[in-house]
Amino acid sequence: MSVGAFLITFREALEAAIIVAIIIAYLRRTNRANQIKDVWIGTALSVGVSVLLGIGILKFYGGLAEKELFEGIASYLAVIVLTSMIYWMATKGRNIRAEIESKVSKSIAPLALIGFTFIVVFREGLETVLFLTPFMTQNLTGTLLGLVAGLAGALVLAYLIYGVGMRIDLRRFFYYSSILLVFVAAGLAGYGTHELIEWAGEEGYSLGVFASTAYDLGIPSGSIWHHNGTAGSVFAVLFGYSVSMEWGRVIVQFGYLITALYLVLRAYGREPTLGREKKAAESAA
């Protein structure tokens, strides 16, 4: 099972489940429970379109001759979308309930509510497909297992929170999962760079020192510590580990990691500070 696929799917599916739960809770609170079926219709349509999109991407990939180029571009695209999602949740996520309830209050007609639900849930589905595409091209079976496990885990947690009433600090959950996803995204950026370097070499382009080897640990491919081995593959997905890297990969992967970690930690660091100041002020009053 792909750990990266599990983590990404779990996070995205949980966000989708939270959005659906917020919509349903608002409809019940405003005496519009009869429209809950429209929410489920929009959700089912978004899931169906996401699945078809994933199948279409796999079919397209299977017919390509230059797979390294596709994998490189797909990895970069996934990193861009993943980064924007992480940063958005860090800076705007705390207002998500108010934003959703405001939009639902204006979506009175059944088609309007179905359309709104479809859009907000499909956004999560589209992100999941884009994120998992690089993993699918490397290990389809492991990625599918991670996807199923991630969906199951997210649905169970969402039920425990909104069905059973279990208390969980979602802000803290998204904080730690965001940090872990930054490492996953850095690994994807490094992998995409490696694939583009290989493609450039096959096409006869000279990248100079950018394509030269930065380090080689000398670990054989049959070892469990190789990035394709039992243990190494887990570190490869979570932290971008590889037994050897080109200078281009090192620069891109670790440059992204340092920059993204700084931005995420700074974004999340603002709210706890403000929260402590607010509590202190309330206590003093």
Side-chain angles (χ1 to χ4, degrees):
M1 181 183 76
S2 171
V3 180
F6 168 79
L7 178 63
I8 289 171
T9 305
F10 181 79
R11 164 89 179 232
E12 291 297 309
L14 182 61
E15 286 184 21
I18 289 172
I19 290 171
V20 172
I22 290 173
I23 295 174
I24 291 176
Y26 179 79
L27 291 176
R28 285 176 175 163
R29 194 168 68 249
T30 55
N31 299 317
R32 293 169 59 188
N34 61 309
Q35 289 189 282
I36 291 178
K37 65 179 184 301
D38 298 328
V39 177
W40 293 121
I41 292 173
T43 301
L45 287 173
S46 64
V47 172
V49 173
S50 298
V51 171
L52 291 176
L53 179 62
I55 294 173
I57 290 176
L58 281 178
K59 291 285 187 182
F60 176 74
Y61 173 77
L64 285 176
E66 297 180 336
K67 289 182 168 53
E68 292 87 356
L69 179 60
F70 175 83
E71 291 179 22
I73 294 175
S75 297
Y76 274 17
L77 180 60
V79 170
I80 293 170
V81 179
L82 183 58
T83 304
S84 63
M85 179 270 290
I86 293 171
Y87 194 71
W88 180 88
M89 182 58 71
T91 55
K92 306 293 183 181
R94 58 184 174 272
N95 300 320
I96 187 172
R97 181 185 295 274
E99 290 184 12
I100 290 175
E101 290 182 349
S102 175
K103 295 290 179 61
V104 174
S105 68
K106 301 173 184 176
S107 303
I108 305 299
L111 284 179
L113 185 57
I114 290 173
F116 173 70
T117 305
F118 172 84
I119 291 171
V120 294
V121 176
F122 178 67
R123 184 185 65 185
E124 308 298 331
L126 175 61
E127 289 175 354
T128 303
V129 171
L130 292 176
F131 301 156
L132 296 187
T133 296
F135 293 106
M136 287 190 294
T137 58
Q138 300 173 59
N139 182 2
L140 178 59
T141 302
T143 301
L144 291 177
L145 289 175
L147 184 150
V148 172
L151 281 174
L155 292 176
V156 168
L157 182 58
Y159 173 75
L160 290 175
I161 295 172
Y162 295 99
V164 179
M166 184 182 75
R167 291 185 174 275
I168 182 173
D169 189 342
L170 287 175
R171 187 67 175 169
R172 186 178 297 274
F173 166 79
F174 284 121
Y175 170 68
Y176 287 112
S177 64
S178 292
I179 292 175
L180 192 53
L181 283 174
V182 166
F183 281 93
V184 173
L188 281 176
Y191 173 76
T193 303
H194 168 72
E195 291 300 304
L196 291 177
I197 289 174
E198 286 198 341
W199 172 79
E202 292 177 358
E203 293 296 312
Y205 298 112
S206 177
L207 300 180
V209 69
F210 201 73
S212 63
T213 302
Y215 74 85
D216 190 336
L217 300 178
I219 298 175
S221 58
S223 171
I224 62 170
W225 298 110
H226 189 273
H227 54 253
N228 291 325
T230 307
S233 60
V234 176
F235 290 107
V237 170
L238 291 179
F239 305 111
Y241 162 76
S242 179
V243 298
S244 65
M245 286 191 187
E246 305 89 349
W247 277 111
R249 180 171 183 173
V250 169
I251 294 170
V252 171
Q253 182 167 322
F254 291 98
Y256 169 88
L257 179 63
I258 293 170
T259 304
L261 273 180
Y262 168 75
L263 292 174
V264 170
L265 291 175
R266 190 181 73 166
Y268 274 100
R270 289 171 180 168
E271 186 175 336
T273 301
L274 293 175
R276 286 194 296 271
E277 292 175 353
K278 182 179 179 181
K279 288 181 180 178
E282 291 174 350
S283 299

